[in-house]
Amino acid sequence: MTVCAASLFQWNYGVSGQESPDFGPAFIVASDRMMTDQGLNIEYESSRWKAAIVNKTNMVFVAGDFTFLSDAIQHLNKTINSEQDLDTDQIAILLSKSFVEVRNSRMERRYLSPIGVTFKDIEALRSESYIRIYEELQREQFGVEAIVVGCSGEKAGLYRLDEFGVITNHIDIGFLSIGSGGIHSSAHLMRQPYSHQSNYFRSLRATFLAKKHAEVSPGVGSATDMFKITKHEVLRIPDQITEHLEKIYRTQRVAESRRADAEISRLGAAFEVLIQQAQASAKSGPG
């Protein structure tokens, strides 16, 4: 599995030296590089990042069986070749259709083609048998999901897609995490609590730490890729910045460990005082 975390923040689009700042929506996204192939039952940390740049201001990040997602992205690319100026909402809808197409294609090849039947054949029956077969096939899960994130002019979009093509809008929440480590990543952002009114550096730090907290989950890799998405462009955060964030994280962990040790020592001393007081009270007796 994997983890991918995205957070909305306010970026100053104003010209340098301009008196009044021009704040607008932008995103920071962090992802690991752990690849999963459920067909071969393997996981490995890849040298490539797990995202697709759809156009100059929109990206798709994926979690789960990467072969499924590769098929979906390939299907999406074929769909959007003839499309122009797609916004984030439209990309989410098209990817949703791609998910449904790939899922149905795999289910048909696995269960129906061996007996010479297609989904269209079963659907044409419009019977209880069709309903039962359809419901049974829908129980199978490939364990995939995606984030569609980006800016279209002044409008920002942040969507989660599940393998059934269901789209949920997370723009008002201001952050979103997917993958096996998603619950840990989201928990960190909720504890902040993270606000979409944050500035760039706060968002950068919070999103990186959210990804690092997710590494306790099985299947989440240690490598981190980060991106900044504005209404003008998609930029990969330089490795030097992520390395500096890694140093901050390690320093923070050491400081937390030392603070915990100090608090435990003070707690032990407090208990020792209580025990001594109790013993003294017992020796003095009543009255």
Side-chain angles (χ1 to χ4, degrees):
M1 294 297 285
T2 187
V3 69
C4 176
S7 63
L8 175 67
F9 73 97
Q10 295 300 306
W11 177 253
N12 183 9
Y13 289 98
V15 179
S16 178
Q18 186 177 3
E19 291 185 6
S20 301
D22 179 21
F23 289 107
F27 295 94
I28 292 292
V29 190
S31 175
D32 72 342
R33 291 187 179 183
M34 188 67 74
M35 299 291 187
T36 303
D37 185 333
Q38 291 187 348
L40 298 176
N41 195 28
I42 58 172
E43 281 186 339
Y44 63 98
E45 196 148 16
S46 173
S47 59
R48 57 164 293 178
W49 28 278
K50 297 172 6 183
I53 299 176
V54 181
N55 55 36
K56 67 178 183 178
T57 61
N58 287 278
M59 296 187 73
V60 172
F61 291 83
V62 296
D65 185 345
F66 202 74
T67 61
F68 182 105
L69 296 157
S70 293
D71 288 345
I73 295 297
Q74 187 176 49
H75 185 275
L76 174 67
N77 288 336
K78 290 179 181 178
T79 304
I80 65 176
N81 279 341
S82 60
E83 301 287 345
Q84 299 296 325
D85 298 325
L86 290 172
D87 62 23
T88 317
D89 302 9
Q90 293 170 317
I91 294 169
I93 292 171
L94 289 173
L95 184 60
S96 168
K97 293 177 179 178
S98 297
F99 269 34
V100 173
E101 179 71 24
V102 172
R103 177 182 170 80
N104 286 347
S105 175
R106 289 194 172 194
M107 299 294 280
E108 186 173 273
R109 289 199 303 269
R110 182 179 297 178
Y111 296 108
L112 303 181
S113 294
I115 58 174
V117 179
T118 67
F119 270 120
K120 289 184 179 180
D121 295 333
I122 297 175
E123 188 175 1
L125 299 174
R126 290 293 177 182
S127 63
E128 290 186 8
S129 297
Y130 162 72
I131 295 173
R132 285 197 300 271
I133 293 172
Y134 181 80
E135 289 177 346
E136 187 66 29
L137 292 180
Q138 292 309 307
R139 290 193 179 95
E140 177 136 354
Q141 297 187 23
F142 292 92
V144 296
E145 53 187 333
I147 291 176
V148 180
V149 55
C151 299
S152 304
E154 302 302 319
K155 185 180 178 182
L158 181 61
Y159 299 96
R160 175 186 177 270
L161 275 68
D162 68 14
E163 67 180 75
F164 300 99
V166 177
I167 303 171
T168 51
N169 187 349
H170 295 256
I171 196 67
D172 290 330
I173 298 174
F175 62 86
L176 171 61
S177 302
I178 61 171
S180 58
I183 188 170
H184 304 288
S185 179
S186 292
H188 171 76
L189 292 167
M190 285 187 282
R191 284 197 304 268
Q192 296 276 305
Y194 183 80
S195 168
H196 61 269
Q197 295 298 321
S198 294
N199 63 26
Y200 170 64
F201 293 107
R202 184 177 294 275
S203 175
L204 186 67
R205 177 180 179 275
T207 309
F208 180 84
L209 292 179
K211 186 271 176 183
K212 296 300 293 185
H213 278 75
E215 290 179 11
V216 299
S217 178
V220 176
S222 58
T224 304
D225 291 306
M226 299 192 75
F227 299 85
K228 180 180 73 173
I229 305 172
T230 70
K231 66 180 182 180
H232 298 312
E233 60 188 351
V234 169
L235 288 174
R236 186 174 180 273
I237 304 297
D239 290 337
Q240 296 91 323
I241 299 299
T242 54
E243 288 168 5
H244 185 70
L245 287 165
E246 182 72 35
K247 291 178 182 178
I248 292 174
Y249 172 71
R250 291 177 182 174
T251 301
Q252 177 181 308
R253 290 294 302 271
V254 170
E256 289 175 350
S257 178
R258 289 175 178 172
R259 185 166 58 249
D261 289 342
E263 290 170 353
I264 291 170
S265 296
R266 288 196 294 272
L267 183 62
F271 267 97
E272 186 66 28
V273 170
L274 288 175
I275 291 172
Q276 291 175 359
Q277 290 175 344
Q279 291 174 341
S281 177
K283 288 180 181 179
S284 63

